[in-house]
Amino acid sequence: MAYKTVLVHCNDKSRIVRVLGPAVEAAGTFNAHLIGLSVVPPVLVIPTGMPGTPDTVVIDEHCQTYRREVPDMKAAFEAAGRERGLVTEWLDVDAGSRSVAGIALEHAHAVALIVASQ
């Protein structure tokens, strides 16, 4: 089977090299279009229900950390694609109130192969 489009889910700076390896290899083997997908995770909203406090607490530290790491992941993706002479595309998506997995699955419907870390 020949793959025309390979999607790599770039969601963890510490794993980016390991996930890019097989994605770049597959895209290079099949001369496929390589798409890097970065999805900013949703903020965490925790209901408190305690008297005298706000009804919810919003925690967005994970989102802020992720946003700081995106430029490094994008640079690694672009360098890997350039090194193999691939046609690449980088997608930055904000999950908003939806799940990262749900967003990734939406993009997965339009590709032949998905490479993601566990």
Side-chain angles (χ1 to χ4, degrees):
M1 173 179 201
Y3 300 112
K4 299 268 187 208
T5 309
V6 176
L7 175 84
V8 57
H9 185 210
C10 302
N11 69 331
D12 186 340
K13 182 179 169 183
S14 67
R15 296 181 186 178
I16 192 71
V17 172
R18 289 181 295 206
V19 76
L20 280 176
V24 168
E25 183 66 30
T29 298
F30 296 103
N31 196 28
H33 180 83
L34 180 64
I35 301 171
L37 175 64
S38 167
V39 183
V40 177
V43 296
L44 183 58
V45 179
I46 302 170
T48 60
M50 296 182 63
T53 64
D55 291 339
T56 59
V57 174
V58 177
I59 301 173
D60 69 344
E61 181 59 35
H62 181 64
C63 300
Q64 292 175 20
T65 300
Y66 185 88
R67 285 186 178 103
R68 284 191 298 270
E69 293 178 350
V70 168
D72 291 338
M73 290 190 291
K74 182 178 180 183
F77 170 81
E78 289 174 343
R82 238 185 346 267
E83 196 173 285
R84 285 293 298 257
L86 300 173
V87 175
T88 62
E89 177 182 358
W90 180 261
L91 300 175
D92 273 317
V93 181
D94 195 315
S97 62
R98 299 170 22 199
S99 73
V100 171
I103 300 289
L105 287 173
E106 283 179 13
H107 289 276
H109 288 291
V111 302
L113 178 67
I114 304 159
V115 178
S117 62
Q118 183 173 349

